[in-house]
Amino acid sequence: MSYDMNAFRLDGKVAWVTGAAYGIGFAIAEALASAGAKIAFNCRNQKHLDAALADYAAKGIEAKGGICDVTDEAAVARFVQEIEAELGSIDILVNNAGIIKRIPMHEMKAEEYRQVIDIDLVAPFICAKAVIPGMIQKGHGKIINICSMMSELGRETVSAYAAAKGGLKMLTRNICSEYGEHNIQCNGIGPGYIATPQTAPLRERQPDGSRHPFDQFIVAKTPAARWGTPEDLMGPAVFLASDASNFVNGHVLYVDGGILAYIGKQP
Ligand code: NAP
Ligand code: GCO
């Protein structure tokens, strides 16, 4: 019996990728568009939005973009209505928007901690809650939460981020548990260390021109011996957004070059 590779296609599907003006979200949206999906994305900054619309157009993608802060439930409801009016009801939600604050926990203000939790953990709840009723009505849906290695591991200065991403892993499992009977699959993607603006400070050249110590550390800890790129996440995202993964649910797919499996190269 041959396998119908059209299972990986997304023709006729509507995908909303949050925070997809650049970085990982942009690459995932590009991949879903390449598989046939119609794309909607949002961000908070008008300049980011304008630049992203040009970048999508340059790749032949007619993306619907909007200014929407994912922590604002009313703004999310309005943006979902706009997407449904212009593209149709949402088949695929990628909860990608996220921030990190690298501050030693004992120096972090509670407000700073709450801001990370709000964007990285509360907002995925808000966005999923906004699209699930439509998915139930349609009889199918895909929700992909962008987790992190910090869904599994901690490190200095990222307490709020690790707490949020650990919670996002469990929210992924709970959406799977609560809505699997409606043919809604909710999975996570756990990127390793990916070269985007978010990690740029960890890769900055030192004053003497040498590589950042953290850059050297990550390369030594990764069997692939390199940082990931947003492009490394494109295929896994298409898989989890497509019918090819209809019996995969509550899973976090780590796309990390093997770093979580490896003790690290001897110095
Ligand atoms: P990034 O380069 O900092 O991009 C983040 C995007 O999210 C931007 O488009 C930003 O646009 C948007 N955003 C931030 N807060 C938002 C909000 N409240 N409402 C709407 N949009 C918002 O980040 P990235 O590296 O691509 O990471 C994307 C996701 O992957 C994040 O969830 C991150 O935690 C996760 N991740 C990253 C890595 C990595 O190594 N890079 C690894 C694992 C997981 P505006 O500022 O214009 O809103
Ligand atoms: C950090 C990095 C990581 C990555 C990613 C790893 O400061 O340790 O920003 O958190 O962003 O989440 O999977």
Side-chain angles (χ1 to χ4, degrees):
M1 180 177 75
S2 62
Y3 185 72
D4 180 1
M5 293 303 288
N6 286 316
F8 288 90
R9 293 291 305 167
L10 302 176
D11 302 286
K13 297 287 176 63
V14 175
W16 173 27
V17 185
T18 70
Y22 48 81
I24 288 171
F26 184 93
I28 288 176
E30 182 185 353
L32 302 185
S34 301
K38 289 183 277 184
I39 299 298
F41 76 99
N42 65 295
C43 59
R44 295 164 299 181
N45 179 292
Q46 187 65 49
K47 285 184 179 172
H48 293 166
L49 177 68
D50 296 342
L53 286 168
D55 292 341
Y56 281 113
K59 290 180 177 287
I61 300 169
E62 192 181 336
K64 170 186 171 41
I67 296 293
C68 170
D69 184 327
V70 289
T71 64
D72 179 342
E73 196 160 14
V76 166
R78 286 194 301 271
F79 191 59
V80 167
Q81 283 174 348
E82 281 180 31
I83 296 171
E84 290 176 345
E86 293 178 36
L87 302 181
S89 66
I90 295 166
D91 301 285
I92 301 157
L93 166 65
V94 181
N95 276 313
N96 168 79
I99 65 166
I100 192 168
K101 289 183 183 294
R102 300 182 182 99
I103 304 168
M105 196 181 94
H106 67 287
E107 296 172 8
M108 186 177 240
K109 297 184 181 69
E111 187 43 45
E112 292 169 321
Y113 187 94
R114 287 193 190 94
Q115 189 189 8
V116 175
I117 297 291
D118 214 14
I119 295 172
D120 294 6
L121 181 56
V122 178
F125 154 79
I126 288 172
C127 296
K129 182 182 160 195
V131 302
I132 282 171
M135 292 177 171
I136 291 174
Q137 198 169 9
K138 291 177 77 151
H140 66 261
K142 296 281 188 180
I143 297 173
I144 301 171
N145 293 323
I146 306 301
C147 296
S148 161
M149 281 178 48
M150 273 59 208
S151 299
E152 303 293 341
L153 302 172
R155 83 173 184 87
E156 301 79 3
T157 76
V158 297
S159 57
Y161 185 83
K165 294 299 188 178
L168 187 56
K169 175 175 73 172
M170 284 314 301
L171 178 62
T172 299
R173 291 178 176 168
N174 215 78
I175 293 172
C176 152
S177 306
E178 195 163 2
Y179 297 100
E181 67 178 333
H182 298 286
N183 192 28
I184 294 171
Q185 291 84 47
C186 181
N187 292 288
I189 289 177
Y193 278 84
I194 311 297
T196 70
Q198 192 240 51
T199 55
L202 306 175
R203 290 176 282 108
E204 277 172 358
R205 284 279 171 183
Q206 302 301 284
D208 65 3
S210 62
R211 286 166 53 202
H212 193 295
F214 197 87
D215 175 4
Q216 299 178 56
F217 168 66
I218 288 303
V219 170
K221 281 280 287 179
T222 306
R226 65 174 175 87
W227 284 71
T229 66
E231 290 70 28
D232 288 318
L233 299 158
M234 295 172 90
V238 171
F239 167 63
L240 288 177
S242 73
D243 288 341
S245 62
N246 282 350
F247 205 55
V248 178
N249 211 351
H251 182 75
V252 178
L253 177 57
Y254 285 96
V255 185
D256 65 357
I259 195 171
L260 279 175
Y262 184 38
I263 194 170
K265 192 173 290 303
Q266 184 180 348

